[in-house]
Amino acid sequence: MGTIFDSDYFEDEIFQKTILVKGEISNTQFMDCTFISCSFNSSAFIDCRFQNCTFNICDLSLANINRSSFSNTVFRKSKTIGLNWSSAFWSNNSAHILSNPIDFFECTLDYSSFIGLKLGNINIEDCSAIEVDFSEAILTGANFKGSDFRNAIFRNTDLSSANFIGAKNYSISPHGNKINKAKFTMPEAMNLLYSMDISIDNISDE
């Protein structure tokens, strides 16, 4: 079992119950590593690389991920509250849409930012994404199934073919976002109509 301070390169390591609060890790590579019940609250990962890694029941709230890169990294039942994902390094992000560099399942992402990122087919499933900012992001084919998007910001966001089945509390303007071929379920899908300045009458037989 690895100790996170003893090297700048880790491969196939398991980190369990590692605690680093307000600490800093820089220029370190993690390849095929697993983090279990670790806490990195308010810590900094500067110029780090995570490839094929998994975070299970971890806390990365308010972490600084400036210039760190992620590839095929999965977060499960973890807290990533208040992270600015836009500050990470996304290889060739301006040239093409990355597919699944990060995925979230049953996580808490509240107050985080994905502004301007190109993350095609990202999974944010059964998560809390309260007040998350997705402005200008390209999230084509994303899976948002079962997640809570209360007060989340979708502005000039490409949600083409995204899956919002079972998602709730989202407010998405069809005029200010791309939602062609996206999937929604009632009654939450009514929120799409409320932003269109139209009147909806409930007609019933008398």
Side-chain angles (χ1 to χ4, degrees):
M1 190 171 296
T3 301
I4 206 164
F5 305 104
D6 63 6
S7 177
D8 59 2
Y9 180 85
F10 297 93
E11 186 173 2
D12 292 318
E13 292 280 2
I14 297 176
F15 300 92
Q16 189 163 8
K17 296 184 178 179
T18 299
I19 298 177
L20 181 66
V21 178
K22 296 183 179 180
E24 180 175 321
I25 299 172
S26 60
N27 297 297
T28 300
Q29 296 186 54
F30 300 92
M31 314 292 285
D32 301 293
C33 292
T34 301
F35 300 82
I36 304 172
S37 299
C38 297
S39 179
F40 302 112
N41 193 295
S42 301
S43 293
F45 292 91
I46 309 299
D47 294 304
C48 292
R49 181 182 179 188
F50 297 88
Q51 183 172 342
N52 302 325
C53 293
T54 301
F55 289 83
N56 291 318
I57 321 176
C58 293
D59 186 359
L60 289 85
S61 299
L62 302 178
N64 180 354
I65 53 173
N66 196 23
R67 299 188 304 277
S68 289
S69 64
F70 298 84
S71 176
N72 297 318
T73 295
V74 177
F75 297 84
R76 297 184 184 276
K77 297 184 178 180
S78 295
K79 295 180 180 179
T80 60
I81 300 171
L83 265 67
N84 180 12
W85 292 98
S86 302
S87 70
F89 175 76
W90 305 100
S91 179
N92 296 322
N93 191 51
S94 61
H96 66 276
I97 301 175
L98 296 177
S99 182
N100 295 96
I102 49 174
D103 285 311
F104 304 90
F105 300 93
E106 299 181 78
C107 292
T108 303
L109 289 72
D110 303 347
Y111 314 110
S112 296
S113 174
F114 293 84
I115 295 175
L117 295 183
K118 299 181 180 181
L119 299 171
N121 301 314
I122 186 173
N123 287 289
I124 301 180
E125 182 174 332
D126 295 322
C127 294
S128 176
I130 296 171
E131 295 193 32
V132 173
D133 195 339
F134 297 101
S135 298
E136 308 288 342
I138 298 179
L139 307 173
T140 54
N143 172 31
F144 297 131
K145 185 178 179 180
S147 291
D148 184 353
F149 291 98
R150 177 161 52 89
N151 296 326
I153 300 173
F154 295 95
R155 184 183 298 117
N156 295 325
T157 308
D158 190 343
L159 300 166
S160 303
S161 300
N163 179 8
F164 281 89
I165 292 176
K168 61 183 180 179
N169 296 324
Y170 49 81
S171 179
I172 303 171
S173 169
H175 298 301
N177 301 278
K178 295 181 180 179
I179 60 171
N180 51 300
K181 297 185 179 181
K183 298 178 181 178
F184 301 92
T185 49
M186 298 293 286
E188 295 293 337
M190 291 297 293
N191 292 329
L192 302 174
L193 298 178
Y194 295 147
S195 64
M196 298 179 66
D197 193 25
I198 61 176
S199 176
I200 303 174
D201 293 326
N202 183 16
I203 300 176
S204 59
D205 296 331
E206 296 183 358

